[in-house]
C-alpha cells in the first residue's frame, strides 16, 4: 500500500465515527463504566494526541501515547535487542530503578510488570519467537546472557551453560543477545567486539565473525539462515566499517559492501521481513568537515545497491543533518523507519520511507525522538521510540512513547471497507468530512434499526476501542 492509499484508508478503516441517537450514547456510557485492566508503568500514560507530529503526517498518524512515566529513565536499546513481542501486544524494556531492571507492558502501557529486581544491571531484553521467554543481558561486573519465563520466573544464565568454552571461558563478557526467528539460536556480541552464535539453551557457542575487528550491530535474516553484522576493515589508507553476512555455523563469511579503499562507513544493516532487501546506512567523508549520509537498500547477495535518501552534514558551517540508526521495517516490508539528526538544534526526527512510492515522509519534528522500532503487527502500524530527556512532558527523564497510525482498512478500497463493515448501508450515505476527519453516519441508525441488524452497530462501537471513545468524548 502506498502512503497515499494509507491516507485514503484513514476514512474507511481508521476514521473516527460520529454516532447520533440516544441508544448509541447509552452504549458508549456503558463502555465508559467498564474498568481499565492492568497497571500502566506505575504512573499511567499521557496521550499527546498529535503533539510533535509533522504536518505531512497528520492524516496517517492517530496519536502519540507516552507509555512510561516513571521518575527515572526508561529505554530500549539501539541495537542488540528487539523490544516487541511476536504478536505486537507486549513491549520489553529497561527501567532505571535502583538498578537497571527488565519490565514489560502492553503497547498501550497497561498490564505493566517488573520482571527483575536485584543489584545487577539488566538490559537488552528480547522475546523468543514463541512469546514464552525473554533473553536479556545481565551485568555482574562482566556481562552474561540470561533467559527467563515471560513472568520473570526461572531465570538462569545461558553463558554459564557453556562456561567451559566460548568467550566466557576466556574471561570475556557476552552481551546483546538476538534470538533467531526460528527460535533455535542466539547471536550475541562480546567485549572483544566479536559476533558469536549459540543454541537457545546456551550450548555450542561458535564464533562467526572471523578475524575482523570491531564487529557490531548483528541481526538475523527472516529464515534464520544468515547473520548480518558490520566490522572494521583495515585498508592501506584508512579503516572503515563494512557489512558482512555469515551462516550461523561460521561458514560462507562474505562482505556485502564494496571492497574499496575509501572513507566510507556502512552499518545498521537490517533484513526486510519478506527477505527481499537489506536496508543499511552509509556515510562518505567528502571533505575535512563534510560528510554525505544516505539510507540505502541492496539485495541479500549484495547486488542492486540503491540510495533511497541522502543528506549532507557540515561541521564547518554548523549545518545539515545526519541519517542515523537504528533502522526498522514495517511488518509488510513496505516502509522503512529511519531518523535524522539536526546539527542546528540537536533535534531528532522520525521519518518513514515508502518503497512503493519512492517517497519519504517526516513523522515527528521539534523533539528528541530516537531508538524507534516498528511493531511486528499492523492495522494500525505502531512505532515504539524513546523521547530523550522527556522532551514532551519536560520531566528530564528518558521516556518511551508509541506512535499509532490510523487503520488502513486491511488494503481494501474505500467502498469495499465500508461494505465489509456496514453491510447493506451504501457508501454514498457515509460522508467524508475533511475538516475534522470524522465519518458521519447520516442514515446509520435508521438503516440498522429497520433491518433489525445490530451487527454493524456492535462492530462499529467495539471496533473503536474504549480508549478512543473516552478520548473523543472528553476532547
Amino acid at each position: 500500500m502506498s502512503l497515499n492509499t494509507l491516507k485514503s484508508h484513514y476514512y474507511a478503516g481508521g476514521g473516527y465515527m460520529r454516532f447520533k441517537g440516544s441508544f448509541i450514547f447509552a452504549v458508549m456510557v456503558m463502555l465508559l463504566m467498564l474498568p481499565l485492566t492492568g497497571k500502566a508503568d506505575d504512573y499511567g500514560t499521557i496521550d499527546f494526541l498529535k503533539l510533535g507530529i509533522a504536518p505531512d503526517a497528520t492524516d496517517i498518524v492517530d496519536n502519540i501515547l507516552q507509555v512510561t512515566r516513571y521518575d527515572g529513565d526508561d529505554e530500549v536499546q539501539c541495537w542488540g535487542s528487539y523490544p516487541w513481542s511476536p504478536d505486537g501486544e507486549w513491549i520489553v524494556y529497561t527501567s532505571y530503578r535502583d538498578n537497571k531492571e527488565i519490565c514489560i507492558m502492553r503497547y498501550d502501557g497497561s498490564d505493566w510488570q517488573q520482571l527483575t529486581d536485584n543489584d545487577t544491571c539488566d538490559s537488552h531484553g528480547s522475546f523468543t519467537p514463541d512469546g514464552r521467554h525473554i533473553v536479556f543481558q545481565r551485568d555482574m561486573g562482566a556481562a552474561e546472557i540470561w533467559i527467563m519465563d515471560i513472568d520473570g520466573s526461572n531465570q538462569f544464565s545461558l553463558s554459564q551453560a557453556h562456561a567451559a568454552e566460548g568467550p566466557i571461558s576466556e574471561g570475556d563478557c557476552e552481551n546483546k543477545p538476538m534470538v533467531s526467528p526460528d527460535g533455535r539460536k542466539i547471536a550475541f556480541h562480546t567485549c572483544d567486539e566479536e559476533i558469536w552464535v549459540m543454541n537457545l539453551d546456551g550450548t555450542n557457542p561458535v564464533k562467526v565473525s572471523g578475524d575482523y575487528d570491531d564487529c557490531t550491530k548483528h541481526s538475523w535474516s527472516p529464515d534464520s539462515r544468515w547473520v548480518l553484522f558490520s566490522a572494521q576493515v583495515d585498508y592501506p589508507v584508512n579503516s572503515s566499517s563494512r557489512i558482512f553476512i555469515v551462516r550461523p555455523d561460521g561458514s560462507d563469511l562474505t562482505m556485502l559492501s564494496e571492497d574499496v579503499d575509501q572513507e566510507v562507513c556502512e552499518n545498521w544493516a537490517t533484513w526486510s521481513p519478506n527477505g527481499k532487501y537489506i536496508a543499511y546506512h552509509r556515510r562518505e567523508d567528502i571533505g575535512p568537515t563534510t560528510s554525505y549520509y544516505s539510507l540505502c537498500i541492496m539485495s541479500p547477495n549484495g547486488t542492486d545497491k540503491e540510495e533511497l535518501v541522502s543528506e549532507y552534514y557540515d561541521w564547518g558551517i554548523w549545518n545539515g543533518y545526519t541519517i542515523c540508526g537504528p533502522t526498522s521495517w514495517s511488518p509488510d516490508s513496505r516502509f522503512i523507519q529511519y531518523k535524522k539528526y539536526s546539527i542546528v538544534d540537536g533535534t531528532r526526527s522520525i521519518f518513514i520511507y515508502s518503497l512503493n512510492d519512492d517517497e519519504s515522509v517526516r513523522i515527528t519534528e521539534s523533539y528528541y525522538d530516537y531508538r524507534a522500532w516498528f511493531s511486528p503487527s499492523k492495522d494500525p502500524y505502531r512505532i515504539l521510540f524513546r523521547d530523550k530527556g522527556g522532551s514532551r512532558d519536560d520531566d528530564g527523564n528518558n521516556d518511551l512513547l508509541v506512535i499509532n497510525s490510523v487503520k488502513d482498512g486491511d488494503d481494501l478500497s474505500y467502498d469495499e471497507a465500508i461494505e465489509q463493515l456496514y453491510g447493506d448501508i451504501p457508501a454514498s450515505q457515509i460522508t467524508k468530512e475533511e475538516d475534522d476527519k470524522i465519518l458521519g453516519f447520516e442514515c446509520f441508525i435508521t438503516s440498522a434499526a429497520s433491518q433489525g441488524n445490530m451487527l454493524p452497530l456492535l462492530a462499529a462501537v467495539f471496533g473503536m476501542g474504549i480508549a478512543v471513545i473516552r478520548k473523543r468524548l472528553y476532547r
Side-chain angles (χ1 to χ4, degrees):
M1 178 189 303
S2 67
L3 286 171
N4 292 330
T5 305
L6 182 59
K7 290 179 182 179
S8 68
H9 285 335
Y10 175 91
Y11 308 102
Y16 297 118
M17 303 172 183
R18 178 187 302 156
F19 298 102
K20 298 181 179 179
S22 58
F23 177 78
I24 298 179
F25 182 77
V27 173
M28 295 170 70
V29 170
M30 287 189 291
L31 287 174
L32 291 172
M33 296 174 63
L34 294 175
L36 287 174
T37 60
K39 181 181 180 183
D41 180 54
D42 300 316
Y43 300 96
T45 60
I46 302 175
D47 189 343
F48 285 111
L49 300 179
K50 298 191 179 183
L51 178 66
I53 295 299
D56 288 344
T58 56
D59 283 351
I60 60 176
V61 172
D62 179 15
N63 71 327
I64 291 182
L65 181 68
Q66 182 172 319
V67 291
T68 64
R69 295 183 63 189
Y70 174 67
D71 187 18
D73 288 335
D74 297 311
E75 66 178 25
V76 290
Q77 279 66 42
C78 58
W79 66 281
S81 65
Y82 178 70
W84 289 97
S85 63
D87 60 3
E89 284 290 317
W90 294 88
I91 295 167
V92 58
Y93 70 99
T94 301
S95 184
Y96 286 69
R97 306 277 159 162
D98 292 334
N99 297 286
K100 290 184 180 180
E101 306 293 354
I102 301 292
C103 302
I104 62 171
M105 61 185 168
R106 292 191 184 273
Y107 64 82
D108 61 0
S110 64
D111 292 335
W112 175 85
Q113 302 171 57
Q114 181 176 330
L115 301 185
T116 64
D117 186 8
N118 50 57
D119 58 1
T120 64
C121 291
D122 299 333
S123 62
H124 293 81
S126 296
F127 292 89
T128 54
D130 61 8
R132 298 172 57 191
H133 307 282
I134 293 174
V135 297
F136 62 101
Q137 169 185 320
R138 172 163 288 173
D139 193 338
M140 301 177 290
E144 296 182 0
I145 296 171
W146 285 58
I147 191 169
M148 60 182 165
D149 292 345
I150 194 67
D151 61 359
S153 62
N154 298 320
Q155 299 180 18
F156 67 91
S157 171
L158 297 176
S159 296
Q160 290 299 323
H162 58 255
E165 55 182 336
I168 195 172
S169 66
E170 300 176 359
D172 197 4
C173 76
E174 301 179 358
N175 54 34
K176 298 176 172 60
M178 295 288 291
V179 186
S180 62
D182 63 9
R184 300 173 59 190
K185 303 282 187 178
I186 296 175
F188 63 96
H189 177 261
T190 73
C191 291
D192 283 341
E193 304 290 352
E194 300 169 343
I195 305 299
W196 288 64
V197 173
M198 63 180 170
N199 294 334
L200 186 65
D201 62 3
T203 60
N204 192 32
V206 177
K207 181 181 176 181
V208 298
S209 53
D211 296 326
Y212 290 104
D213 298 323
D214 299 327
C215 303
T216 61
K217 300 176 179 64
H218 52 288
S219 62
W220 286 93
S221 63
D223 61 7
S224 304
R225 298 176 62 187
W226 297 94
V227 176
L228 272 171
F229 67 95
S230 57
Q232 199 81 1
V233 178
D234 295 324
Y235 292 104
V237 176
N238 65 83
S239 298
S240 299
S241 178
R242 298 289 188 265
I243 296 170
F244 292 82
I245 190 172
V246 66
R247 298 282 188 184
D249 62 0
S251 63
D252 297 333
L253 176 60
T254 305
M255 182 192 297
L256 299 184
S257 301
E258 293 184 51
D259 191 9
V260 292
D261 187 0
Q262 63 186 58
E263 291 287 347
V264 172
C265 173
E266 295 184 343
N267 54 23
W268 296 108
T270 55
W271 222 298
S272 63
N274 64 10
K276 293 182 179 180
Y277 306 103
I278 293 173
Y280 63 99
H281 288 198
R282 190 176 193 271
R283 189 199 76 232
E284 181 178 359
D285 297 329
I286 57 177
T289 63
T290 307
S291 296
Y292 183 80
Y293 288 82
S294 55
L295 171 67
C296 307
I297 58 172
M298 61 181 165
S299 298
N301 61 2
T303 62
D304 302 321
K305 292 181 173 67
E306 180 182 354
E307 180 184 281
L308 305 180
V309 183
S310 62
E311 288 285 353
Y312 283 97
Y313 191 85
D314 193 333
W315 289 94
I317 61 175
W318 207 250
N319 188 36
Y321 294 86
T322 67
I323 296 175
C324 47
T327 295
S328 66
W329 289 83
S330 64
D332 51 16
S333 301
R334 293 171 174 174
F335 305 106
I336 304 174
Q337 174 279 136
Y338 67 98
K339 293 175 300 303
K340 289 185 182 180
Y341 165 76
S342 169
I343 190 175
V344 176
D345 57 15
T347 57
R348 294 170 173 87
S349 301
I350 296 172
F351 286 73
I352 297 296
Y353 178 85
S354 168
L355 270 70
N356 289 358
D357 289 346
D358 189 20
E359 176 185 4
S360 187
V361 173
R362 187 175 195 158
I363 302 299
T364 68
E365 64 178 7
S366 304
Y367 290 94
Y368 303 90
D369 304 335
Y370 66 131
R371 297 188 182 181
W373 298 96
F374 257 114
S375 165
S377 61
K378 64 183 290 287
D379 196 21
Y381 295 101
R382 293 190 175 94
I383 297 176
L384 172 70
F385 70 96
R386 173 178 161 181
D387 180 355
K388 184 178 180 181
S391 57
R392 282 178 177 78
D393 64 4
D394 199 28
D395 66 353
N397 298 315
N398 295 331
D399 301 310
L400 298 181
L401 299 91
V402 173
I403 299 171
N404 294 294
S405 80
V406 297
K407 292 187 176 181
D408 67 7
D410 289 329
D411 292 348
L412 301 175
S413 68
Y414 176 76
D415 288 347
E416 288 172 336
I418 291 297
E419 181 180 357
Q420 185 180 91
L421 184 59
Y422 305 113
D424 296 331
I425 302 176
S428 60
Q429 295 180 358
I430 304 174
T431 62
K432 299 177 184 177
E433 297 186 5
E434 292 288 345
D435 56 344
D436 57 5
K437 304 297 187 294
I438 297 174
L439 283 174
F441 279 71
E442 301 300 331
C443 301
F444 181 85
I445 301 303
T446 54
S447 297
S450 63
Q451 298 173 35
N453 182 4
M454 299 306 297
L455 290 178
L457 176 60
L458 294 176
V461 173
F462 288 104
M464 292 178 68
I466 296 173
V468 172
I469 295 174
R470 287 178 172 171
K471 181 177 71 175
R472 292 294 164 179
L473 279 179
Y474 295 106
R475 187 174 179 178

